[in-house]
Amino acid sequence: MNVHLTATEVLAGVGALVALVMIWRASARTARLAAEAARASVRVVSLAGRIGITAAVIAAVQWVVITHSGNSVVLWAVLGLPDLLAAHSLTRALTVTAVDTPRRRGGRG
């Protein structure tokens, strides 16, 4: 069994294969971008859920201590510790530690 192909038929076959590979790569790139977008939105929802649960636990502990404790030291500790943690987190998040400026050729930024 011999197959005789002309140059035009070979070029058409190679062109079809190249087109198929390009379509496959484009679809893979689109799928990757869609997956990254989905992961980003899940991260936001997950973070919001963890923040909500943590806030609920802190509020529940504070409520129990306020309603059932007669000790003022425990009361101040339970009310003050979450404030200290929140202040620390906000300070770290809002503090600029370095300025990213492009350097000039002279070596001075």
Side-chain angles (χ1 to χ4, degrees), residues 9 19-20 40 60 62 72 76 85 96 100 107:
E9 292 171 338
L20 185 64
Q62 288 177 337
S72 64
W76 283 105
L85 295 175
V96 176
D100 295 330

PDB file of all heavy atoms in Angstrom, residues 9 19-20 40 60 62 72 76 85 96 100 107:
ATOM      1  N   GLU A   9      -1.142  18.905  -0.595  1.00  0.00           N
ATOM      2  CA  GLU A   9      -1.846  18.105   0.414  1.00  0.00           C
ATOM      3  C   GLU A   9      -1.052  18.034   1.720  1.00  0.00           C
ATOM      4  O   GLU A   9      -1.622  18.102   2.811  1.00  0.00           O
ATOM      5  CB  GLU A   9      -2.104  16.706  -0.129  1.00  0.00           C
ATOM      6  CG  GLU A   9      -3.099  16.664  -1.269  1.00  0.00           C
ATOM      7  CD  GLU A   9      -3.179  15.300  -1.924  1.00  0.00           C
ATOM      8  OE1 GLU A   9      -2.222  14.511  -1.814  1.00  0.00           O
ATOM      9  OE2 GLU A   9      -4.230  15.033  -2.540  1.00  0.00           O
ATOM     10  N   ALA A  19      -3.170  24.736  13.112  1.00  0.00           N
ATOM     11  CA  ALA A  19      -4.407  25.403  13.543  1.00  0.00           C
ATOM     12  C   ALA A  19      -5.017  24.682  14.736  1.00  0.00           C
ATOM     13  O   ALA A  19      -5.487  25.319  15.689  1.00  0.00           O
ATOM     14  CB  ALA A  19      -5.400  25.462  12.392  1.00  0.00           C
ATOM     15  N   LEU A  20      -5.008  23.354  14.720  1.00  0.00           N
ATOM     16  CA  LEU A  20      -5.555  22.574  15.833  1.00  0.00           C
ATOM     17  C   LEU A  20      -4.767  22.823  17.117  1.00  0.00           C
ATOM     18  O   LEU A  20      -5.362  23.008  18.192  1.00  0.00           O
ATOM     19  CB  LEU A  20      -5.540  21.085  15.472  1.00  0.00           C
ATOM     20  CG  LEU A  20      -6.184  20.138  16.459  1.00  0.00           C
ATOM     21  CD1 LEU A  20      -7.680  20.424  16.561  1.00  0.00           C
ATOM     22  CD2 LEU A  20      -5.957  18.706  16.030  1.00  0.00           C
ATOM     23  N   ALA A  40      -9.630  33.387  42.957  1.00  0.00           N
ATOM     24  CA  ALA A  40      -9.551  34.697  43.605  1.00  0.00           C
ATOM     25  C   ALA A  40     -10.853  35.031  44.318  1.00  0.00           C
ATOM     26  O   ALA A  40     -10.845  35.525  45.448  1.00  0.00           O
ATOM     27  CB  ALA A  40      -9.216  35.779  42.581  1.00  0.00           C
ATOM     28  N   ALA A  60     -18.882  36.242  71.467  1.00  0.00           N
ATOM     29  CA  ALA A  60     -19.499  35.280  72.388  1.00  0.00           C
ATOM     30  C   ALA A  60     -18.715  35.179  73.694  1.00  0.00           C
ATOM     31  O   ALA A  60     -19.305  35.168  74.785  1.00  0.00           O
ATOM     32  CB  ALA A  60     -19.599  33.909  71.722  1.00  0.00           C
ATOM     33  N   GLN A  62     -16.759  37.477  74.970  1.00  0.00           N
ATOM     34  CA  GLN A  62     -16.956  38.727  75.694  1.00  0.00           C
ATOM     35  C   GLN A  62     -18.317  38.765  76.367  1.00  0.00           C
ATOM     36  O   GLN A  62     -18.443  39.198  77.512  1.00  0.00           O
ATOM     37  CB  GLN A  62     -16.799  39.918  74.740  1.00  0.00           C
ATOM     38  CG  GLN A  62     -15.380  40.168  74.318  1.00  0.00           C
ATOM     39  CD  GLN A  62     -15.262  41.299  73.320  1.00  0.00           C
ATOM     40  OE1 GLN A  62     -16.213  41.627  72.625  1.00  0.00           O
ATOM     41  NE2 GLN A  62     -14.086  41.889  73.242  1.00  0.00           N
ATOM     42  N   SER A  72     -13.204  42.181  87.698  1.00  0.00           N
ATOM     43  CA  SER A  72     -12.989  43.273  86.741  1.00  0.00           C
ATOM     44  C   SER A  72     -11.702  43.093  85.943  1.00  0.00           C
ATOM     45  O   SER A  72     -11.599  43.571  84.808  1.00  0.00           O
ATOM     46  CB  SER A  72     -12.974  44.617  87.467  1.00  0.00           C
ATOM     47  OG  SER A  72     -11.886  44.678  88.359  1.00  0.00           O
ATOM     48  N   TRP A  76     -11.645  43.364  81.898  1.00  0.00           N
ATOM     49  CA  TRP A  76     -10.785  44.256  81.118  1.00  0.00           C
ATOM     50  C   TRP A  76      -9.886  43.466  80.166  1.00  0.00           C
ATOM     51  O   TRP A  76      -9.597  43.912  79.049  1.00  0.00           O
ATOM     52  CB  TRP A  76      -9.954  45.148  82.034  1.00  0.00           C
ATOM     53  CG  TRP A  76     -10.770  46.270  82.586  1.00  0.00           C
ATOM     54  CD1 TRP A  76     -11.252  46.380  83.858  1.00  0.00           C
ATOM     55  CD2 TRP A  76     -11.235  47.410  81.879  1.00  0.00           C
ATOM     56  NE1 TRP A  76     -11.990  47.523  84.000  1.00  0.00           N
ATOM     57  CE2 TRP A  76     -11.993  48.181  82.777  1.00  0.00           C
ATOM     58  CE3 TRP A  76     -11.104  47.866  80.584  1.00  0.00           C
ATOM     59  CZ2 TRP A  76     -12.591  49.372  82.425  1.00  0.00           C
ATOM     60  CZ3 TRP A  76     -11.706  49.054  80.229  1.00  0.00           C
ATOM     61  CH2 TRP A  76     -12.442  49.786  81.137  1.00  0.00           C
ATOM     62  N   LEU A  85      -5.107  43.101  69.472  1.00  0.00           N
ATOM     63  CA  LEU A  85      -4.860  42.306  68.264  1.00  0.00           C
ATOM     64  C   LEU A  85      -5.319  43.044  67.010  1.00  0.00           C
ATOM     65  O   LEU A  85      -4.624  43.042  65.985  1.00  0.00           O
ATOM     66  CB  LEU A  85      -5.564  40.949  68.361  1.00  0.00           C
ATOM     67  CG  LEU A  85      -5.043  40.014  69.456  1.00  0.00           C
ATOM     68  CD1 LEU A  85      -5.908  38.760  69.531  1.00  0.00           C
ATOM     69  CD2 LEU A  85      -3.600  39.649  69.204  1.00  0.00           C
ATOM     70  N   VAL A  96       3.529  51.817  55.847  1.00  0.00           N
ATOM     71  CA  VAL A  96       4.390  51.691  54.673  1.00  0.00           C
ATOM     72  C   VAL A  96       5.822  51.572  55.172  1.00  0.00           C
ATOM     73  O   VAL A  96       6.333  52.472  55.827  1.00  0.00           O
ATOM     74  CB  VAL A  96       4.240  52.918  53.746  1.00  0.00           C
ATOM     75  CG1 VAL A  96       5.198  52.823  52.577  1.00  0.00           C
ATOM     76  CG2 VAL A  96       2.811  53.061  53.288  1.00  0.00           C
ATOM     77  N   ASP A 100       8.748  52.085  46.993  1.00  0.00           N
ATOM     78  CA  ASP A 100       9.254  51.491  45.769  1.00  0.00           C
ATOM     79  C   ASP A 100       9.269  52.545  44.672  1.00  0.00           C
ATOM     80  O   ASP A 100       8.252  52.828  44.053  1.00  0.00           O
ATOM     81  CB  ASP A 100       8.379  50.313  45.340  1.00  0.00           C
ATOM     82  CG  ASP A 100       8.435  49.186  46.340  1.00  0.00           C
ATOM     83  OD1 ASP A 100       9.477  49.041  46.988  1.00  0.00           O
ATOM     84  OD2 ASP A 100       7.434  48.457  46.460  1.00  0.00           O
ATOM     85  N   GLY A 107      22.429  56.187  40.345  1.00  0.00           N
ATOM     86  CA  GLY A 107      22.545  55.397  41.565  1.00  0.00           C
ATOM     87  C   GLY A 107      21.782  55.985  42.726  1.00  0.00           C
ATOM     88  O   GLY A 107      21.621  55.355  43.742  1.00  0.00           O
TER      89      GLY A 107
END
